[in-house]
Each structure stands twice: as structure tokens, then as C-alpha cells.
Amino acid sequence: MADFQDYKQTVKYETFSYLPALTADQTRQQIQYIVSQGWNPAIEHVEPARSHKYYWFMWKLPMFGEQSVDRILSELEACHREYPNHHVRLIGYDNYTQSQGTSFVVYRA
């Protein structure tokens, strides 16, 4: 007979939410990947209770053409400092396909 495990229900967000939380180095590598693909990074945030029913709020405008990983990280930290009780996610917009290349939550509330 197969072992059955208690399914832990947690809300999942975006690409990496099924994996353990990213370390600082892994987050940096993902941002470096966004930059290397030529995607435009953008930061969004929202209260946890509204995260599935409403659009997320933009943190400033998308960073068109931004090449500095450190600047993207500093904007993520600034958003998290301003809204410590919000989820903060990073999106990489792909100009060519007119879609999101990637998206993941960097800070969970």
C-alpha cells in the first residue's frame, strides 16, 4: 500500500513557488538571467489577501533596458522596505514575444 502524506496547502505564486525559497545568490542569478535575455525587469507588490483576486500594484515603471543586477536588487529592497507586509515579485518582460519571460516572488509577506 502506498504511503499517503498530508498535503500542506500553501498558496503558490509564480515559477519558483513549488521549490524552497531562493537564496540571495539564486535570486541574483535569476535577475542576471533576466538581464542576459534582454528582458525588461519590473517590480510589483500586493497585500497577501488580495494576491489572487486583484492586479498587483506596480513599483514605479518597468526598468526598460536596465542592465545592472545591483540596481534591480536595490529597487526590490526599496519596495520591500516601503511595503513590508506585501508580496514583492519580479517580472522579466520579453519585448520580442510581448509576454512575461519569467516572474517570481522575491519577498513573501
Side-chain angles (χ1 to χ4, degrees), residues 41-46 56-63 71-83 86-90:
I43 298 169
E44 294 180 341
H45 62 93
V46 72
W56 290 41
F57 304 109
M58 288 181 66
W59 172 257
K60 302 181 181 178
L61 292 174
M63 293 177 268
R71 181 166 161 86
I72 296 167
L73 280 169
S74 70
E75 287 296 329
L76 282 164
E77 290 167 1
C79 181
H80 182 59
R81 276 193 311 272
E82 184 73 22
Y83 300 99
H86 287 194
H87 296 314
V88 177
R89 72 179 173 190
L90 178 65

Side-chain angles (χ1 to χ4, degrees), residues 19-33:
L19 301 173
L22 296 177
T23 64
D25 282 343
Q26 290 169 329
T27 300
R28 176 176 281 277
Q29 289 173 346
Q30 291 302 319
I31 295 171
Q32 182 60 48
Y33 180 76

Side-chain angles (χ1 to χ4, degrees), residues 7-105:
Y7 179 71
K8 296 179 183 176
Q9 290 190 345
T10 58
V11 178
K12 302 298 181 195
Y13 302 98
E14 309 297 340
T15 306
F16 301 116
S17 65
Y18 291 89
L19 301 173
L22 296 177
T23 64
D25 282 343
Q26 290 169 329
T27 300
R28 176 176 281 277
Q29 289 173 346
Q30 291 302 319
I31 295 171
Q32 182 60 48
Y33 180 76
I34 289 171
V35 169
S36 71
Q37 295 300 307
W39 297 341
N40 293 308
I43 298 169
E44 294 180 341
H45 62 93
V46 72
E47 303 95 335
R50 299 170 44 110
S51 62
H52 285 289
K53 295 180 181 175
Y54 300 95
Y55 289 107
W56 290 41
F57 304 109
M58 288 181 66
W59 172 257
K60 302 181 181 178
L61 292 174
M63 293 177 268
F64 296 107
E66 182 60 55
Q67 298 291 307
S68 170
V69 173
D70 292 328
R71 181 166 161 86
I72 296 167
L73 280 169
S74 70
E75 287 296 329
L76 282 164
E77 290 167 1
C79 181
H80 182 59
R81 276 193 311 272
E82 184 73 22
Y83 300 99
N85 297 323
H86 287 194
H87 296 314
V88 177
R89 72 179 173 190
L90 178 65
I91 300 169
Y93 286 107
D94 185 346
N95 286 345
Y96 183 73
T97 62
Q98 299 287 307
S99 64
Q100 293 183 9
T102 190
S103 175
F104 60 98
V105 176

